[in-house]
Structures are given as structure tokens and as C-alpha cells.
Amino acid sequence: MKILMGTKNPGKIQGAKEAFEKYFDNVQIEGIAVNSDVSDQPLNKEVFQGAQNRVKNLKEYAKNNNINADFYIASEGGIQNLLCDEWIEFNAAVIEDNSGLISVGTSQGFPIPNKYMKEIQETELGKVMDRIFNGNELNKGQGGISLLTHGELTRIDLTRNAFTMALTKYINGDLWK
């Protein structure tokens, strides 16, 4: 099974691979850097829009380069406060199969203290967490969530969970489409 993913981020690719491997055999994911066409730090609806844009741009890239795939996928990390007055960081995943069926899913989220939101909006969460935790590119690989949960969860886990949620349309036949 060939999957194109709209990122080169190794943590996101690994998380997606783990999700797909639970349900499909011979999973091969090729990461391709494409634009999200949203802010560097997506907020609220921009999070979903960024993932959708990555899939759209990925499909256009594939068409222009004569590449076929079974699935075109992307995830976008971002922050939202639509469900409550608190800011929550989460990952949105978008999957589109080669027949055009689209599904979305999200990961669990973690709270962002209000005292950091202005700085995050001016830069991005990863850079703020790098400063706070004296890290370097925490938004890659294990991610800052690994530090916040003392190693219990990683970016890979959040990405895997978001894609697992999005896969529910594909793994349950017509029952859940």
C-alpha cells in the first residue's frame, strides 16, 4: 500500500505509519514537503484547514509528478479554544483515498497556559517550548509533549491517534461511511 504524506517530519511519518499498520499490510509512506497555506502557528479552524491544504497540495504534486498512491494524508498541529475558554494543542489528521473519500480525525489535546499564548501567536509553539525547555527543534521527533508528560506520550503517539480516528471511515466498510 502506497501512502503519500504531506510532511518530511519523521515523528509525524512514524505516527501515521503505526496507525495504518494496525489495519493494512505492506504500508509504505513517502513524506513529501508541501505547504499548509496557513499561519506558522495555526489557530482554531486553521488547524483543520492546514491539514486539508496539505492533502490538496500533495495530490497536485503527485499529479504533476505522475505519482499514484492509495492514500494522501497530512496532519497539522495547532491550538484551539473553540470548545472552552482554555487553549488546547492538538493534531488534526486528514486522509483522502484514491477514490476521493475524505476523513478527518484528531488527537487528544493538552492545555497551553495563557501566559505563553501571546509569544506563541507571534512565533509558534515549538519555538516557545524550545525556549522554555532549553531544547532544539522539539517540534520534530518526540515533540514537546514528551517533556510535558515526562515521557508518557510523544508526538508519534498524538499523530498515530489522530490518524487512527480518521481511519474509522476506512476500516468499517459502509457501516461508518
Side-chain angles (χ1 to χ4, degrees), residues 89 110 129 133 138-158:
E89 198 284 340
F110 61 89
M129 290 187 79
F133 290 103
L138 291 174
N139 61 338
K140 307 283 191 261
Q142 300 293 312
I145 188 60
S146 180
L147 293 172
L148 291 173
T149 62
H150 300 249
E152 183 64 28
L153 295 172
T154 67
R155 168 180 285 267
I156 293 167
D157 298 317
L158 297 179

Side-chain angles (χ1 to χ4, degrees), residues 89-100:
E89 198 284 340
F90 73 105
N91 289 314
V94 173
I95 301 172
E96 185 171 342
D97 69 11
N98 56 14
S99 72

Side-chain angles (χ1 to χ4, degrees), residues 76-120:
E76 191 76 28
I79 302 172
Q80 62 91 12
N81 68 345
L82 297 173
L83 301 176
C84 61
D85 290 334
E86 298 295 319
W87 290 99
I88 304 288
E89 198 284 340
F90 73 105
N91 289 314
V94 173
I95 301 172
E96 185 171 342
D97 69 11
N98 56 14
S99 72
L101 178 65
I102 298 172
S103 187
V104 298
T106 64
S107 70
Q108 63 272 50
F110 61 89
I112 304 294
N114 284 333
K115 66 183 178 181
Y116 297 122
M117 279 308 298
K118 183 175 188 229
E119 183 182 359
I120 289 168

